[in-house]
Amino acid sequence: MVLQIKDLKVRIGQKQILQHIDLDVKAGEVHVIMGLNGTGKSTLLKALAGSYECESEGRVFYKGEELLSLAPHERAAKGLFMSFQNPIEIEGLNSIYFLKTALSEQMKFRGEEPLKAPEFMKKLKEKMAFLEMDEGMLNRSLNVGFSGGEKKRFEILQMMMLNPELILLDEIDSGLDIDALKIVAKGVNAMRDGKRAIVIVTHYSRLLEYIDADFVHILDKGIIAKSGTARLAFELEEQGYEQILHTH
Ligand code: ADP
Ligand code: MG
């Protein structure tokens, strides 16, 4: 089991956002979380990644280890990756420097020898070619002036470079045209090797046409109100949340 969530409750400030979340994600599985705006999908991922905004109670295990007591950078170094719904722009932080430093620091934390510059560049160029990205992006400040699609693609590039075991993707498909969506999906599918676990938050069942999900969960009022297979996402598209959550 890569991720095991037991009775997780999450508060932001005075507001109880998540009431009771139970979720098991095994190696090789892709779970999709859907729900109306404001139901706490991003909060769930942020709590798992260790955002300081979130006050979490309950138990979460990552590969058997208690996750909630670890600092965000420890979670990341141990193989947890989260892509942001709205990636932040950092003026003056060179994108390539950011990627190199993130990877080197994680490798050091794990007691591995960081990649030498030529190896790093080779790997980076391979991944960028795979994601059909323009290398010119690398010399720009992190996310500054990137289009919505470029930001999402850069998140996927980070994921591929960091090689995480638990992947949390927040609305990686929002604002993408169909070509960019296919490339993002290609990146995610490339990470499906039976060892990793993937949790994807999305609004649209469209993503599920390109990524095969094993399970779909609908978040409502702080709990997982309904779970099913990928079919649930398509039913949702046809019938709407009201119908799906309040009948049968
Ligand atoms: P979703 O991703 O499902 O749209 P979010 O997890 O972003 O939902 O937000 C869930 C709820 O938490 C919303 O009502 C939102 O306004 C609230 N919320 C999120 N972040 C904060 C914050 N930093 N301070 C106060 N409320 C927040
Ligand atoms: Mg969100």
Side-chain angles (χ1 to χ4, degrees), residues 62-77:
Y62 166 59
K63 295 197 293 179
E65 184 181 8
E66 194 84 62
L67 188 71
L68 296 180
S69 53
L70 299 177
H73 72 277
E74 293 174 314
R75 301 182 197 197

Side-chain angles (χ1 to χ4, degrees), residues 41-42 85 170-171:
K41 303 181 296 298
S42 294
Q85 179 170 353
D170 197 355
E171 308 230 3

